[in-house]
Amino acid sequence: MNEFDDTLHDLSENLRKQKEIDSDKAWTQLSRKITFLSFRVKAWNITRTAAVILLPLFLLHQYVIQPNLKITPPEMITLVSAPGMVTKAVLPDGSEVWLNAQSELTYPQRFTGKERTVQVSGEAYFKVVADKKNRFNVVMPDDITVSAFGTEFNIHAYNDEPGYHVTLARGNIEVAATRSMKKETLAVGQKAVLMPETGEMDIVQADTYVETAWVDGKMVFRREKLETIAQKLSRKFGVVILLEGEALKEYEYTATFTDETLEDILDLLKRSAPITYSISRQEQRANDTFTHRTVTIKSNKR
């Protein structure tokens, strides 16, 4: 076969192969490939754009929003005990608090940071859950603070009384007065007597039963002056008590009351000293509220 015949044979073979090609099928396959490659390019561009947007958002949440969430102060709860009532509260850490009549306790919905801090005015008995890493602070009126890690103690701090008392029943506590810069550590059975106006503090021995019997609904008096008894009766029964005559303030009583009514207690006091008493009726005001009953105590001694 000569060179011309070889060329003719190749052309004939190419023509035959071209006739065997399915052009529609080939075009469909090519179109799919082009579409796929175009999709990959678009997907990469979208992913890259999303990453550019999400990264600043992640950094914003991580370094701005999240820290602010952590430092947001918790909601404060205030609990008030009505006259004649002993109210119990359980704090976020499990510590227990008993509030005597006409007392107020303020504490956070949750404790944050290294210290557990609450505020109290009036009288309260604390049973603090032990936690050596997180100090427990009770802030009293006039910048007086009681601190502990786990213990039981009683605070008596009514604003209308000249002095405050802090009595330790179990464990250890530290009492600090900001005004005088004084700080004392109490042992079990000791009581800190504080003068809020000056911040002066004295440490004395205490009868813890007398100081804390109110938690069990008792009123215990050991050679207690009538003036102090009148204050406690006023809070317990929600009445106003007036003592007519300076001599009455020096009368002293020793007694324990549990379930007695106000009249029962006054009758017992009357039997032990030359006194008389009268109780006024409650009167309705214009706004439909009622006045407090008033108890007037007089001396029969001439």
Side-chain angles (χ1 to χ4, degrees), residues 158-194:
Y158 286 99
N159 289 320
D160 59 351
E161 293 187 15
Y164 301 155
H165 302 157
V166 180
T167 305
L168 180 61
R170 183 177 300 174
N172 292 281
I173 59 174
E174 180 183 86
V175 183
T178 302
R179 291 185 182 179
S180 63
M181 301 298 289
K182 284 194 172 183
K183 186 181 296 184
E184 297 286 350
T185 299
L186 271 60
V188 174
Q190 288 186 328
K191 175 170 67 174
V193 181
L194 301 113

Side-chain angles (χ1 to χ4, degrees), residues 140-142 144 161-165 177 179-180 192-202:
M140 301 160 54
D142 300 287
I144 298 170
E161 293 187 15
Y164 301 155
H165 302 157
R179 291 185 182 179
S180 63
V193 181
L194 301 113
M195 303 306 295
E197 290 186 359
T198 62
E200 292 300 311
M201 184 188 328
D202 292 320

Side-chain angles (χ1 to χ4, degrees), residues 4-195:
F4 175 78
D5 292 333
D6 289 339
T7 302
L8 182 61
H9 178 270
D10 292 338
L11 292 174
S12 299
E13 186 67 22
N14 289 338
L15 180 60
R16 183 183 62 79
K17 290 181 178 181
Q18 289 178 6
K19 289 181 178 180
E20 292 178 355
I21 295 174
D22 189 340
S23 59
D24 292 337
K25 182 178 180 181
W27 174 251
T28 300
Q29 290 177 347
L30 180 61
S31 297
R32 287 179 180 176
K33 190 171 184 179
I34 293 172
T35 302
F36 176 72
L37 291 174
S38 177
F39 172 77
R40 278 178 45 174
V41 171
K42 290 180 180 180
W44 165 248
N45 290 335
I46 292 173
T47 303
R48 185 174 56 185
T49 303
V52 171
I53 295 173
L54 290 176
L55 181 58
L57 291 177
F58 172 78
L59 295 175
L60 176 66
H61 180 271
Q62 190 72 13
Y63 295 102
V64 178
I65 298 176
Q66 189 66 22
N68 284 336
L69 290 175
K70 291 180 180 178
I71 63 174
T72 299
E75 180 182 351
M76 301 302 291
I77 298 170
T78 298
L79 184 64
V80 179
S81 190
M85 299 291 293
V86 174
T87 306
K88 182 181 178 181
V90 179
L91 302 181
D93 65 340
S95 296
E96 298 175 310
V97 186
W98 287 261
L99 279 183
N100 206 348
Q102 296 182 344
S103 301
E104 183 175 298
L105 172 70
T106 300
Y107 61 95
Q109 194 174 37
R110 68 182 188 280
F111 288 122
T112 59
K114 295 183 178 180
E115 295 188 349
R116 302 167 286 169
T117 301
V118 303
Q119 296 177 326
V120 71
S121 63
E123 188 165 28
Y125 184 86
F126 288 85
K127 187 175 182 180
V128 178
V129 171
D131 185 349
K132 293 183 178 180
K133 294 183 179 180
N134 297 280
R135 194 180 186 91
F136 190 94
N137 300 318
V138 181
V139 179
M140 301 160 54
D142 300 287
D143 296 324
I144 298 170
T145 303
V146 178
S147 300
F149 290 105
T151 184
E152 296 183 33
F153 55 93
N154 190 79
I155 289 178
H156 185 99
Y158 286 99
N159 289 320
D160 59 351
E161 293 187 15
Y164 301 155
H165 302 157
V166 180
T167 305
L168 180 61
R170 183 177 300 174
N172 292 281
I173 59 174
E174 180 183 86
V175 183
T178 302
R179 291 185 182 179
S180 63
M181 301 298 289
K182 284 194 172 183
K183 186 181 296 184
E184 297 286 350
T185 299
L186 271 60
V188 174
Q190 288 186 328
K191 175 170 67 174
V193 181
L194 301 113
M195 303 306 295

Side-chain angles (χ1 to χ4, degrees), residues 240-252:
V240 177
I241 299 181
L242 303 176
L243 301 180
E244 292 191 356
E246 291 297 318
L248 288 176
K249 297 180 181 180
E250 300 303 318
Y251 288 178
E252 293 182 346

